[in-house]
Amino acid sequence: MSRLFGHSPVSRSEPPTLWLQIPLWARWGGALLFNTLIALFLTGLDFGGSFPVNWLFSQCVGLTINAGVELALRLAPARWRAAGLLLAVVIGSTLGTFLALLATGVYRIGDQAAQVFWQALVLGLVFGAGMTLFAYYRERSLRSEQALDAARLEQLIGEKARVEAELRMLQAQIEPHFLFNTLAILRGLIGRDPQTGKLLLDRLIDYLRASLSHSRAEQATLADELVLLDNYLTIMQFRMGPRLGFSITASPELRSYPLPPMLLQPLVENAIRHGLEPKSGPCRLWVEASESTEDLLLEVSDNGVGLSGQGSVGTGLANVRARLETLYRGAATLCVQDNEHGGVTASLRLPRT
């Protein structure tokens, strides 16, 4: 009996129905409660007998139907499940009515026994079939929703993989250009300023090591990203000379915040390439991290030529937006706007986890 009314499914190839995933006490307790409500309803209509008689009839019929339904759900193959449930309702109503007649002694009344039997049988069929059909079609609806959710999840995983692949491809296209320019500067420093060349080489090694680690990781921290940016901007100072200044501000608590890798790097590269390099004279870049009760705010600001002075904002921002949509499904935003006193600020808001 424990195998019939417990939780172990009959077939390993077919998942248990949603009804059988409900705890045993909840299934049978709910059936007892539902049968009691039917008895109250019939007594309120002055149908049948007294409440104890109606209650006993309801429990005999309802629990017998419930037992038959559970047997059908466990033993009937999926393609025959509807027929099995219908048979369970018919047999359960008939058997339950006989049990109720025996338990209440109504069968001794004589001519009224047949009338009571057919009344109880019809009521059992109506209520039993109604609730069973409702549960059956409700389960089919839930199964369809689960299949749809699974398909959406699979699509989301595929989109995430596609965006990550595009990120790595974009990084592979950008890094050789950046690397060759840096090596050209290093080659010139070796002859005239070996000590500065050594410093540049150390920064380049640190940057490449961090960049390689980032490209292979699915999750990083804000500290990892800021270390990468510090090395990148220091290298850019060798290229642009003393006119480039930068600052990175983040509290120790925020540095441990989990962050998708290479999320800030495109914003900084965009600010350098499209905002600061075209500008003549001193220029500066700020990277700041702050938090509120709901989100983490990451800002990359510059005092460059601004959006109106840029011919293009590059593909890096579009890539970041695509990653945000895939990773956060609308819960993260990227806003790029001109500063009041010149330059551009890219504001990245991520939900706190």
Side-chain angles (χ1 to χ4, degrees), residues 91-104:
I91 295 177
S93 298
T94 306
L95 182 59
T97 302
F98 273 116
L99 293 176
L101 290 173
L102 293 174
T104 58

Side-chain angles (χ1 to χ4, degrees), residues 175-189:
E175 282 187 349
H177 178 74
F178 168 76
L179 180 61
F180 293 149
N181 287 340
T182 304
L183 290 176
I185 297 173
L186 180 61
R187 184 173 181 272
L189 288 173

Side-chain angles (χ1 to χ4, degrees), residues 16-163:
T17 64
L18 297 179
W19 173 257
L20 295 180
Q21 295 178 30
I22 301 174
L24 181 66
W25 64 268
R27 301 200 304 267
W28 287 87
L32 287 169
L33 178 60
F34 180 71
N35 297 336
T36 302
L37 293 176
I38 293 178
L40 288 171
F41 175 72
L42 295 177
T43 304
L45 294 178
D46 197 21
F47 184 88
S50 63
F51 173 73
V53 173
N54 285 338
W55 183 85
L56 192 56
F57 262 89
S58 296
Q59 297 300 341
C60 287
V61 175
L63 294 181
T64 307
I65 292 176
N66 194 62
V69 167
E70 296 228 350
L71 285 172
L73 291 176
R74 291 191 174 278
L75 301 179
R79 60 179 179 174
W80 297 106
R81 190 163 291 162
L85 291 175
L86 178 61
L87 187 63
V89 171
V90 174
I91 295 177
S93 298
T94 306
L95 182 59
T97 302
F98 273 116
L99 293 176
L101 290 173
L102 293 174
T104 58
V106 174
Y107 71 95
R108 298 174 181 174
I109 297 178
D111 294 338
Q112 293 183 353
Q115 181 181 356
V116 171
F117 170 78
W118 287 111
Q119 288 177 346
L121 179 61
V122 170
L123 287 174
L125 289 173
V126 170
F127 284 104
M131 290 305 300
T132 302
L133 286 174
F134 171 79
Y136 176 74
Y137 285 105
R138 177 57 180 163
E139 173 158 333
R140 289 186 61 181
S141 175
L142 291 175
R143 289 290 184 189
S144 299
E145 292 176 5
Q146 287 181 347
L148 183 60
D149 290 340
R152 288 174 178 171
L153 178 60
E154 185 177 354
Q155 181 182 8
L156 177 61
I157 294 174
E159 290 179 357
K160 180 180 178 181
R162 176 184 59 80
V163 172

Side-chain angles (χ1 to χ4, degrees), residues 278-312:
K279 179 183 178 179
S280 60
C283 52
R284 189 168 183 84
L285 184 141
W286 298 267
V287 179
E288 298 181 358
S290 59
E291 65 176 337
S292 65
T293 56
E294 297 181 354
D295 52 32
L296 173 71
L297 175 61
L298 304 173
E299 292 184 315
V300 177
S301 305
D302 65 72
N303 62 349
V305 298
L307 292 175
S308 59
Q310 300 180 20
S312 170

